[in-house]
Amino acid sequence: MTRLYSCAAQGADTLGVIEVLREQFPPHADAIRMVFAFYGCGHDDHLLHYALRQSFPAATLLGGTSSGGVASERGFGGPLSIGLLLIEDEDGDYGAASARLGDDPAAAAQDALCRALASCGCAGQLPELIWIYQAPGSEEAVIKGLCSVIGDGCPIIGGTSADENVLGFWRQLGPEGVFDNGLVVGVLFPSTPLGFSFQGGYEPLGPNGIVTGIGRMLAGESGIVTAMAGREIVSIDNEPAAVVYNRWTGGLIDRQVAEGGVVLAETTMRPIAVEAGRIEDVAHYLLVHPESVSPGGGLRTFCNLEVGSRVYAMHGDRGRLIRRAGRVVEEARRGLENPRAVAGALVVYCAGCKIAVGEEIGSVADTVAHSLGEAPFVTCFTFGEQGRLIDHNVHGNLMISAVVFGS
């Protein structure tokens, strides 16, 4: 049988918050096999790592910073909150390993995955799920590296660690300690079923076009300069990308088109997307969040795009983003053999969506709690989301994922 426990507390003093968390720990702490830990970037995660190592000696650790804190069945904790999700599963196997991303993130991912499998005695085996948490910027390369080891049949779900204001204060926590430009890979072989879902809460606005130019970038260790894929869209239909986007959105970024600059807040409800595939002729979209306008009129994003991709203008609203979290959890529950037998859940919710819903973020936690009944959960808020969409593992923005554990 699998049991999950959530613990959450908030406060400016990391040691004080840890003491409050300890009061919520189950009495049989030595039976905990995996600990997910998420926290506002103002906390001392070295202290947290040490405390968790002492409290759960048989568990593997993974997690990192979460933008604005965490949420759980207790509600939204606030920017100084810490949340833990504890997994007890005597008959399951759980492992994790971390690595610095360095100059070759794909190789770092391969290495971390192999060490994570070895750490739980499952070298060479295919996990039920791979869960990742990483620094921003190399998400596609990490997925490519993982898939080179286990193929694209195993679901890869996780998030990009975040801070409060995109200032680079994000960190990752793994068995080996704390990183600021690292990757943590968890492998899960639970004794009970898992269900998972990965969705966005946006709809097509209508306009679309073809990416005809991408900013120049270095292609991995080779040092070869390429302009076929990257995170700056130079042109759409042979016009400056920012000009095209601004026209699609009715002048949403007039000032930045003229002057350049950050457009993160303005574009949260008006992202772009690529079509990920269709189910029964219904299109499913992978969302891409525009981050800034470059001096030449390019549109910088948080995802890699390729020349020749068709991009679509999308739109969302606060109500849809609040409700979608519960729907994602409900879809994940339907993936269980018995949707009524739920031990708990791990939810990833984009930090951009969190900013968009504002003070109603507590309602997001409420919708998740309603969908899970009495089961515990923890939600982290991320700068990128990884999940399985139309039978492929992908990285996107403004997405929501859920992993639901059967009991």
Side-chain angles (χ1 to χ4, degrees):
M1 176 179 288
T2 302
R3 294 185 177 90
L4 268 67
Y5 308 88
S6 71
C7 310
Q10 61 178 323
D13 176 47
T14 302
L15 282 175
V17 176
I18 290 171
E19 288 306 312
V20 177
L21 290 171
R22 281 198 175 107
E23 296 173 1
Q24 303 170 34
F25 289 173
H28 41 284
D30 57 346
I32 300 300
R33 306 299 302 279
M34 178 169 272
V35 176
F36 290 94
F38 304 103
Y39 44 91
C41 66
H43 277 295
D44 185 333
D45 31 19
H46 294 280
L47 285 177
L48 179 62
H49 183 270
Y50 178 80
L52 294 176
R53 268 274 168 254
Q54 298 300 307
S55 298
F56 304 105
T60 191
L61 310 178
L62 66 166
T65 55
S66 169
S67 182
V70 300
S72 70
E73 70 273 18
R74 299 167 178 82
F76 174 59
L80 294 174
S81 56
I82 299 175
L84 309 176
L85 190 70
L86 316 177
I87 301 178
E88 177 187 344
D89 183 5
E90 182 180 358
D91 297 319
D93 291 305
Y94 300 83
S98 46
R100 299 193 183 281
L101 288 170
D103 295 328
D104 193 342
Q110 294 169 0
D111 174 65
L113 174 58
C114 292
R115 287 189 288 110
L117 290 168
S119 73
C120 59
C122 296
Q125 299 183 41
L126 185 67
E128 185 78 13
L129 177 79
I130 294 174
W131 208 90
I132 56 177
Y133 213 61
Q134 61 199 291
S138 303
E139 293 89 345
E140 292 91 352
V142 165
I143 291 174
K144 182 177 180 180
L146 296 173
C147 289
S148 71
V149 177
I150 48 85
D152 203 20
C154 176
I156 300 170
I157 297 179
T160 303
S161 56
D163 62 6
E164 308 298 294
N165 299 300
V166 201
L167 294 176
F169 297 138
W170 44 71
R171 300 182 299 280
Q172 308 80 44
L173 184 148
E176 298 86 352
V178 179
F179 296 79
D180 59 9
N181 186 34
L183 162 72
V184 186
V185 177
V187 292
L188 286 73
F189 298 84
S191 62
T192 52
L194 286 177
F196 56 88
S197 178
F198 184 61
Q199 298 181 19
Y202 296 74
E203 302 293 337
L205 190 62
N208 61 87
I210 299 294
V211 175
T212 49
I214 291 290
R216 297 168 72 82
M217 62 181 291
L218 291 178
E221 288 189 320
S222 68
I224 297 172
V225 177
T226 175
M228 297 302 293
R231 295 194 172 190
E232 181 185 350
I233 310 172
V234 173
S235 59
I236 298 173
D237 294 334
N238 296 309
E239 289 187 76
V243 172
V244 174
Y245 173 87
N246 197 42
R247 183 169 65 244
W248 287 354
T249 57
L252 184 65
I253 58 170
D254 277 338
R255 180 179 61 81
Q256 291 90 343
V257 168
E259 304 173 3
V262 175
V263 296
L264 194 62
E266 292 88 344
T267 60
T268 296
M269 290 297 189
R270 295 291 185 269
I272 58 177
V274 295
E275 186 176 317
R278 291 175 175 260
I279 297 177
E280 296 181 352
D281 208 35
V282 176
H284 289 249
Y285 296 93
L286 181 66
L287 298 166
V288 178
H289 195 176
E291 180 266 331
S292 63
V293 175
S294 64
L299 201 60
R300 297 190 181 107
T301 74
F302 286 111
C303 278
N304 282 359
L305 289 168
E306 297 180 356
V307 169
S309 299
R310 182 172 293 277
V311 291
Y312 297 81
M314 308 292 284
H315 72 104
D317 60 65
R318 297 174 83 184
R320 182 181 289 120
L321 294 180
I322 291 169
R323 295 188 297 271
R324 179 67 65 174
R327 293 177 181 175
V328 171
V329 170
E330 289 168 2
E331 181 177 78
R333 283 189 68 166
R334 289 195 290 270
L336 300 177
E337 294 177 6
N338 180 4
R340 295 178 179 274
V342 175
L346 179 59
V347 179
V348 177
Y349 193 88
C350 174
C353 295
K354 172 181 172 290
I355 293 169
V357 302
E359 294 181 357
E360 294 184 73
I361 189 62
S363 297
V364 173
D366 292 343
T367 63
V368 172
H370 178 75
S371 297
L372 287 170
E374 300 296 322
F377 71 91
V378 166
T379 299
C380 58
F381 302 102
T382 56
F383 280 167
E385 297 73 50
Q386 298 82 50
R388 193 160 181 81
L389 197 59
I390 316 294
D391 296 326
H392 292 288
N393 293 302
V394 294
H395 163 66
N397 306 142
L398 300 167
M399 305 291 285
I400 306 166
S401 72
V403 178
V404 174
F405 295 78
S407 61

